[in-house]
Amino acid sequence: MKKWLVIGIVVIALSLAGGIFYLKKEPQETMAQTPTAAVEKGTLEVRVSGSGSIEPVNSEDLMVDEVKEVDEVLVSLNDEVSEGQELITFTDGSDSITAPFSGTITALDVEEGDNVTPEKVVAHLTDYKSLQTVISVDELDVSKVKVGQTASIIANAYPEEDFSGKVTDIAREGTYENGVSTFSVTITIDQPKSLKVGMSVEASILVESKENTLLLPIEAVRKQGDRKYVFVPQEGEDAVTTVRKEVKTGLANESYIEITEGLEEGEIVQLPAITTSSQQQGRNENMFMPGGMMPGGGMQGGGMMRRDQGGTNR
């Protein structure tokens, strides 16, 4: 009997100890200090980005317009030729095939004495010195892209090297896939240097820029209806309080937003505090989110664009 009594007491003691340990291990809610940011002057850039691959600006199959007999082939495979240079002549004395642009003979499928027809490709000419890339741009951003805008290009093969280019063409028709329409934008590269046809690249087109303007991190600006505001900390005798201050905004990208009215350079505003997930959801309820999405999943009027993919005047 005493044995069973002792066992019972031990079991109860272990249970109590386990409960106390569990309570001690109960996760405690931690409160992070609210970060702040100062209103600064700077340059705000809005960019539209996309990926593509390197291709030649000029690449062309060379053919005849009627049946002819080849008199002489004046070039060899991989020869570099100049625009207007004579490449192939014919026995009937008709116009010879000449190079439509400077480049390299990358295919040659004809010999002296051959009879060629209009369906036959006799040679191929590629210009490796003039290169371009074609990227796909979302329909929501393509209206911001204009011919002549500058672009920054990074090749996966040369991540530390910067290339530049200009927009030279924007497709008039888009491609619809998975509920989204995209448009092809052609960027001609200024100095291809070590780039080769077929290399993959990322291109970023500068579509809008504003210098010497007031800037804040985009998460500092909250929205309620059509109004936008920030929280400005105020030091009191006993504690620091916050004042809600209405602002007007202008250009924005994913990281920063322009302040056009309501704040001055150097003013300090609060940023959202980093806390537990449940608290964060409540604190972010009226924050601007990238892509115009509210934290709850709905669309927010006049929302922010993605990083390097556009901005909007607000």
Side-chain angles (χ1 to χ4, degrees):
M1 183 65 179
K2 290 182 179 180
K3 178 181 179 181
W4 289 108
L5 181 60
V6 171
I7 292 174
I9 292 172
V10 171
V11 169
I12 292 172
L14 290 174
S15 298
L16 288 173
I20 292 169
F21 179 80
Y22 176 81
L23 290 174
K24 286 184 177 180
K25 285 294 185 179
E26 184 72 16
Q28 300 295 315
E29 183 177 342
T30 58
M31 296 294 293
Q33 184 177 0
T34 302
T36 60
V39 181
E40 298 181 350
K41 275 191 176 180
T43 299
L44 184 62
E45 292 185 346
V46 179
R47 293 180 173 272
V48 169
S49 298
S51 57
S53 60
I54 299 297
E55 57 185 54
V57 173
N58 296 309
S59 183
E60 187 174 321
D61 287 332
L62 304 181
M63 305 170 71
V64 296
D65 53 5
E66 58 183 353
V67 177
K68 296 181 179 183
E69 182 181 349
V70 175
D71 179 39
E72 190 175 4
V73 179
L74 304 174
V75 291
S76 300
L77 187 64
N78 296 323
D79 278 358
E80 291 190 5
V81 299
S82 302
E83 181 178 355
Q85 181 176 331
E86 197 172 45
L87 308 178
I88 301 171
T89 60
F90 302 99
T91 56
D92 62 0
S94 60
D95 292 339
S96 59
I97 293 179
T98 59
F101 50 84
S102 297
T104 302
I105 302 296
T106 54
L108 187 64
D109 190 21
V110 68
E111 295 179 352
E112 181 180 336
D114 286 351
N115 287 315
V116 292
T117 63
E119 296 81 17
K120 181 179 175 61
V121 175
V122 297
H124 189 91
L125 180 64
T126 303
D127 181 5
Y128 289 116
K129 295 181 180 179
S130 298
L131 302 180
Q132 64 184 20
T133 184
V134 180
I135 64 173
S136 295
V137 175
D138 189 279
E139 61 183 323
L140 299 178
D141 293 328
V142 73
S143 62
K144 305 178 186 71
V145 180
K146 311 293 180 187
V147 170
Q149 288 173 336
T150 59
S152 299
I153 300 160
I154 296 178
N156 292 344
Y158 305 106
E160 303 301 323
E161 192 169 0
D162 293 327
F163 300 88
S164 63
K166 286 185 174 60
V167 175
T168 51
D169 187 66
I170 304 166
R172 293 178 177 270
E173 296 184 9
T175 301
Y176 184 82
E177 187 175 355
N178 297 326
V180 177
S181 289
T182 58
F183 291 78
S184 294
V185 174
T186 302
I187 300 169
T188 299
I189 300 169
D190 295 331
Q191 296 180 353
K193 295 181 281 188
S194 52
L195 292 176
K196 297 183 183 298
V197 172
M199 285 184 172
S200 55
V201 297
E202 298 287 335
S204 175
I205 304 168
L206 180 61
V207 296
E208 200 165 357
S209 177
K210 201 162 187 180
E211 297 180 354
N212 200 34
T213 190
L214 296 179
L215 303 175
L216 266 180
I218 196 166
E219 62 268 26
V221 179
R222 327 292 178 96
K223 184 174 181 180
Q224 185 175 45
D226 294 332
R227 295 184 174 183
K228 283 152 266 186
Y229 61 93
V230 296
F231 286 118
V232 178
Q234 299 284 333
E235 290 191 12
E237 294 183 1
D238 300 324
V240 176
T241 60
T242 57
V243 175
R244 176 169 154 165
K245 201 168 187 179
E246 191 167 330
V247 296
K248 291 185 178 180
T249 61
L251 198 65
N253 58 27
E254 188 187 49
S255 301
Y256 292 95
I257 187 167
E258 177 191 15
I259 304 297
T260 58
E261 288 184 27
L263 293 172
E264 296 181 357
E265 183 180 5
E267 282 195 74
I268 303 297
V269 302
Q270 278 191 353
L271 300 176
I274 302 173
T275 57
T276 60
S277 58
S278 60
Q279 288 176 319
Q280 188 68 31
Q281 183 175 357
R283 288 178 183 271
N284 287 348
E285 191 169 341
N286 291 317
M287 281 175 53
F288 281 110
M289 297 293 286
M293 296 297 295
M294 292 291 287
M299 288 299 295
Q300 177 183 26
M304 296 295 92
M305 297 296 178
R306 298 178 296 275
R307 180 181 295 272
D308 293 333
Q309 289 193 348
T312 179
N313 285 327
R314 326 176 69 80

